[in-house]
Amino acid sequence: MGSDIAGNIQAIREELKDTQAQLIAVSKTKPNEAIEEAYAAGQRVFGENKVQELVDKYESLPKDIQWHMIGHLQRNKVKYIAPFVHLIHGVDSLKLLKEINKQGKKVDRIVPCLLQVHIAQEETKFGFDIAELKEMLDNKVLDDLTHVEIQGLMGMATNTEDEKQVAQEFAGLKSLKEELDKDYQHPRLQLKELSMGMSGDYPLALANGSTMIRVGSTIFGARNYNT
Ligand SMILES: *Cc1c(COP(=O)(O)O)cnc(C)c1O
């Protein structure tokens, strides 16, 4: 089976035509050649979930690429991506947000972030629960965080065939965004983005208000972790 990265991207672009959503091409584990193929097809926005890989690719690929950190981020690694990262999707604790702020300050950048919310039924997925998130905003923590901007929310739905459940989880994240947008005003809380939807569920995410879909295997083919 030959890969057709350009064709796959084109097909997804067609699906996005009548939406406000943006495609984040998730290139984790894939070589630079695959990214270059997507780049040649006009794709400029890529997502990675490992800091070292993200930094290596940033350094070796064209500088007009926007790099999104989509995975779980460890605090001690924030410093490596703070100078250039376009958006950090998976901010799942106040401690992490504070570290991003600290590293943003060092490099004189306001680092764009999304707060990850736990919407799935699985125990293992990272993210704030809703009460925790509201408590954080109630405590006005953003007053002290001058070098982050919260641009929206990110969520991962349960990995299930039950489309109704997945749709419900996405719709729940959307209404949470609207609620927070109404209830909390702060210059560094600009809730525009809803990062939701991956290869298996992005049509449902789009139908429920996603503004950023994070698609890997549908573009680049299945990942091989055995190397
Ligand atoms: C790997 C990954 C994706 C993309 O997954 P696919 O199923 O290959 O589209 C999206 N979001 C996150 C957080 C990921 O880690």
Side-chain angles (χ1 to χ4, degrees), residues 26 28 49 70 154 156 198-199 214-217 223:
V26 176
K28 62 189 188 196
N49 72 338
I70 61 165
M154 181 266 210
M156 291 171 83
M198 330 191 346
S199 291
R214 309 176 310 270
V215 180
S217 39
R223 286 177 292 275

Side-chain angles (χ1 to χ4, degrees), residues 25-225:
V26 176
S27 46
K28 62 189 188 196
T29 78
K30 298 296 175 181
N32 283 2
E33 293 69 44
I35 297 174
E36 280 160 356
E37 219 174 307
Y39 185 91
Q43 183 68 26
R44 293 293 180 272
V45 185
F46 293 88
E48 291 283 336
N49 72 338
K50 295 262 189 305
V51 165
Q52 187 59 55
E53 193 176 344
L54 178 55
V55 170
D56 289 346
K57 286 174 173 172
Y58 164 72
E59 284 172 354
S60 55
L61 286 160
K63 285 295 171 284
D64 62 342
I65 290 179
Q66 297 178 359
W67 291 103
H68 290 228
M69 176 66 197
I70 61 165
H72 182 65
L73 176 58
Q74 288 173 307
R75 269 179 288 149
N76 61 355
K77 296 192 174 161
V78 173
K79 55 178 178 283
Y80 302 115
I81 62 171
F84 69 89
V85 69
H86 190 78
L87 182 63
I88 299 176
H89 289 233
V91 179
D92 59 0
S93 74
L94 178 55
K95 277 182 168 174
L96 176 58
L97 193 62
K98 284 181 172 168
E99 178 63 20
I100 296 169
N101 181 68
K102 183 177 151 192
Q103 298 301 332
K105 207 176 217 166
K106 273 193 193 161
V107 294
D108 196 22
R109 267 192 95 206
I110 294 177
V111 182
C113 296
L114 304 180
L115 299 178
Q116 183 169 1
V117 183
H118 185 269
I119 58 171
Q121 281 188 339
E122 291 128 352
E123 287 287 330
T124 52
K125 295 202 170 149
F126 294 105
F128 286 98
D129 64 49
I130 294 172
E132 202 182 5
L133 183 56
K134 287 180 181 170
E135 189 193 305
M136 183 175 91
L137 295 173
D138 284 335
N139 288 336
K140 305 202 183 307
V141 293
L142 289 176
D143 288 355
D144 298 323
L145 303 182
T146 51
H147 286 73
V148 292
E149 183 178 83
I150 311 292
Q151 297 189 339
L153 304 179
M154 181 266 210
M156 291 171 83
T158 305
N159 186 7
T160 171
E161 298 291 310
D162 184 350
E163 297 200 346
K164 219 165 128 187
Q165 184 184 340
V166 172
Q168 229 166 48
E169 290 171 358
F170 287 146
L173 191 62
K174 177 168 191 254
S175 41
L176 176 65
K177 185 190 89 148
E178 285 162 0
E179 184 192 338
L180 297 179
D181 202 29
K182 183 163 65 65
D183 291 348
Y184 297 93
Q185 267 80 46
H186 195 283
R188 284 181 306 284
L189 186 66
Q190 302 293 332
L191 297 174
K192 328 177 268 265
E193 308 292 353
L194 264 182
S195 168
M196 51 188 205
M198 330 191 346
S199 291
D201 57 16
Y202 75 81
L204 283 172
L206 289 171
N208 286 284
S210 173
T211 69
M212 289 182 165
I213 57 171
R214 309 176 310 270
V215 180
S217 39
T218 296
I219 296 173
F220 296 107
R223 286 177 292 275
N224 179 5
Y225 287 103

